[in-house]
Amino acid sequence: MNPKIDFIESELENLRDTLKSHSLYKNLHSLEDIQVFMENHVFAVWDFMSLLKGLQIDLTTVSTPWVPRENSKLARFINEITVAEESDFDKDGVVKSHFEMYLDAMEEVGADTSKITYFLKQLSVLKSVEESLESTTIIASVKEFVSFTFKIINTKETHKIAAAFTFGREDVIPDMFIKIIEEAATNQDQKYDSFTYYLKRHIELDGDEHGPLSLQMISELCGNDTQKWDEVLDVAKESLSVRIHLWSGIEEELKRHKQALV
């Protein structure tokens, strides 16, 4: 492992521990809890694809005329992740994107997909993420999370996008999703087959394959550039902080729903 990666990982340890031990997980028991969680988390599932596409644009050739890129290894890595994210096999062997799998899982548990659907329709008309977010009725922490993602994408700086992708997503997803599965599984009366498949698939891909490769990507993008390494650490910390804030926002939304039922 690159010693600079080791340093970043050590600097992120407290934030990762906070995320892993977040009290949100303890509140995911009932079907209604899972519904509320998914209705908000789906926006993070969606905006992950734009992080990935930002890297694909920078590290591969996605226009004509085609020209070779300097680092074929990074191009292969990003293309492999794109294949898995855009055209994986769902639990029934049907080819779908992970976002579509998530929507299927929402439908299975009776979660409301109208907000994410409305947002995407607005996006196709307005062409602006910020305007589409403002016109969609979602909690503030979801808007802030997606806004942060696109703030990083709009820097057009590949190492920063890679930092958000690696340390804010690929490197922490296994920990987060394992906790969700553990807590949701305590309710034996409910079955979340599609949701559980989605979570386990990400744990498998990100823990065994994508996570380690994304760390190599960071090393290659930063090389011996001290400023880039510093910026990667800053973005990594921000990425984890905004995820913790998202989890706290969803937890508050869960409490509001429960209070409304009393």
Side-chain angles (χ1 to χ4, degrees), residues 165-256:
F165 178 87
T166 298
F167 297 106
R169 308 293 179 117
E170 298 294 281
D171 204 33
V172 296
I173 279 176
D175 287 346
M176 293 188 302
F177 285 2
I178 286 170
K179 292 295 292 185
I180 292 171
I181 288 174
E182 287 175 351
E183 294 303 326
T186 60
N187 187 340
Q188 299 300 319
D189 295 330
Q190 300 294 342
K191 299 295 183 184
Y192 315 111
D193 292 345
S194 295
F195 186 39
T196 301
Y197 177 85
Y198 169 88
L199 296 175
K200 288 184 175 180
R201 183 64 175 142
H202 267 275
I203 292 168
E204 175 189 357
L205 288 173
D206 297 335
D208 296 340
E209 301 174 31
H210 297 170
L213 287 171
S214 65
L215 293 174
Q216 292 179 28
M217 172 177 65
I218 293 289
S219 295
E220 298 210 20
L221 288 173
C222 292
N224 296 316
D225 191 322
T226 301
Q227 181 177 338
K228 284 185 176 180
W229 281 109
D230 289 343
E231 289 171 346
V232 161
L233 178 57
D234 289 341
V235 171
K237 287 180 176 179
E238 282 188 272
S239 298
L240 291 177
S241 295
V242 76
R243 171 73 72 167
I244 291 166
H245 183 57
L246 173 64
W247 267 198
S248 297
I250 295 176
E251 184 178 21
E252 288 301 313
E253 186 70 359
L254 282 170
K255 292 177 180 177
R256 283 193 289 271

Side-chain angles (χ1 to χ4, degrees), residues 42 59 61 76 94 100 104 142 163 175 177 193 204 207 220 222:
V42 66
L59 300 176
T61 301
R76 180 180 177 85
V94 178
E100 290 171 305
D104 288 345
V142 171
D175 287 346
F177 285 2
D193 292 345
E204 175 189 357
E220 298 210 20
C222 292

Side-chain angles (χ1 to χ4, degrees), residues 35-173:
Q35 290 170 346
V36 172
F37 174 81
M38 297 184 78
E39 288 162 11
N40 290 282
H41 178 241
V42 66
F43 285 86
V45 176
W46 171 79
D47 77 350
F48 169 79
M49 288 304 301
S50 290
L51 273 178
L52 176 57
K53 287 298 175 179
L55 289 173
Q56 191 178 33
I57 289 168
D58 288 350
L59 300 176
T60 72
T61 301
V62 292
S63 60
T64 56
W66 179 86
V67 292
R69 303 306 292 250
E70 291 182 10
N71 195 319
S72 297
K73 184 164 67 174
L74 289 183
R76 180 180 177 85
F77 166 59
I78 291 301
N79 283 333
E80 283 183 349
I81 293 183
T82 302
V83 169
E85 291 291 336
E86 281 193 315
S87 54
D88 202 1
F89 294 99
D90 71 5
K91 67 182 180 65
D92 298 316
V94 178
V95 175
K96 289 185 178 179
S97 69
H98 284 186
F99 176 72
E100 290 171 305
M101 288 185 202
Y102 200 90
L103 292 181
D104 288 345
M106 290 179 71
E107 295 281 357
E108 181 182 74
V109 303
D112 183 6
T113 60
S114 64
K115 291 180 181 180
I116 185 65
T117 301
Y118 176 82
F119 168 74
L120 293 176
K121 286 181 179 178
Q122 289 296 99
L123 189 61
S124 67
V125 174
L126 299 174
K127 309 298 182 183
S128 163
V129 172
E130 286 301 322
E131 290 179 355
S132 300
L133 285 172
E134 287 304 315
S135 68
T136 307
T137 306
I138 48 177
I139 60 176
S141 60
V142 171
K143 292 181 181 180
E144 291 165 13
F145 186 90
V146 176
S147 294
F148 170 77
T149 298
F150 280 87
K151 181 187 82 170
I152 297 302
I153 292 170
N154 291 334
T155 66
K156 307 296 184 184
E157 296 183 76
T158 312
H159 65 290
K160 291 183 179 180
I161 301 172
F165 178 87
T166 298
F167 297 106
R169 308 293 179 117
E170 298 294 281
D171 204 33
V172 296
I173 279 176

